[in-house]
Amino acid sequence: MDKIIVSGGVVLDGEVRISGAKNAVLPILCATLLADEPVEIANVPHLHDVRTTARLLGGLGAGIGHDQAAGIVRVDPSTVDSHLAPYELVRTMRASVLVLGPLLARHGAAEVSLPGGCAIGSRPVDLHFKALGALCVEIVVEHGFIKARAGRLRVVHVNFEMV
């Protein structure tokens, strides 16, 4: 990690570029699956999970463009043609479950590998299951995949016990 060392006796002057937060940009990238036209996201950090999420979106059929120097990612979701998020891309990221809802809304079905290949039991995806279940989504976990299907989603109010 880079660091800034400041020695006293000199007036500070200049600029420091602060990149966006990974935990903010990953859900935004996944939400681009809901768009009808290309989306440009700025101030995107150059991190492994961001690159993996971009590869995942590309694997689903989205057009992906990067301007790493400017911290910009462009996503064209109009060509998304798959509802299957392959294990090879999502096994390393807990955030991969964030494509479940958008794929379900877009295709009426979604298949996403359990994040990090975690075993059935206490999972970081329980809140997703709770919300999707309230929307009348049928969810099955089998062979390490979350398989979700829905007809017309209904509008509901979901209370989460924790943020």
Side-chain angles (χ1 to χ4, degrees):
M1 172 176 241
D2 294 333
K3 58 184 169 182
I4 300 172
I5 299 174
V6 179
S7 300
V10 179
V11 176
L12 294 177
D13 183 40
E15 296 178 9
V16 176
R17 183 173 183 265
I18 306 298
S19 72
K22 175 187 85 163
N23 289 340
V25 78
L26 296 181
I28 293 168
L29 284 168
C30 294
T32 64
L33 292 171
L34 297 170
D36 293 329
E37 56 191 48
V39 177
E40 182 175 285
I41 304 163
N43 202 21
V44 176
H46 184 66
L47 299 170
H48 181 266
D49 281 358
V50 172
R51 291 189 304 273
T52 301
T53 301
R55 284 196 344 259
L56 171 58
L57 296 175
L60 293 169
I64 302 291
H66 296 268
D67 183 342
Q68 292 176 1
I72 294 173
V73 174
R74 292 174 189 87
V75 181
D76 182 356
S78 65
T79 54
V80 170
D81 58 0
S82 176
H83 70 276
L84 174 62
Y87 174 76
E88 298 77 35
L89 287 175
V90 301
R91 67 185 169 92
T92 61
M93 291 189 325
R94 286 188 321 183
S96 61
V97 75
L98 296 174
V99 298
L100 183 64
L103 288 175
L104 187 62
R106 186 177 189 99
H107 297 289
E111 292 186 32
V112 178
S113 175
L114 284 166
C118 65
I120 295 174
S122 178
R123 310 180 277 284
V125 296
D126 289 342
L127 294 177
H128 292 271
F129 289 0
K130 177 181 177 180
L132 292 172
L135 294 168
C136 293
V137 173
E138 176 188 327
I139 301 172
V140 176
V141 178
E142 60 184 21
H143 308 297
F145 273 83
I146 304 165
K147 298 181 179 186
R149 302 228 180 281
R152 184 173 171 88
L153 297 175
R154 64 180 202 168
V155 177
V156 297
H157 183 81
V158 179
N159 288 316
F160 296 103
E161 291 92 36
M162 56 188 280
V163 176

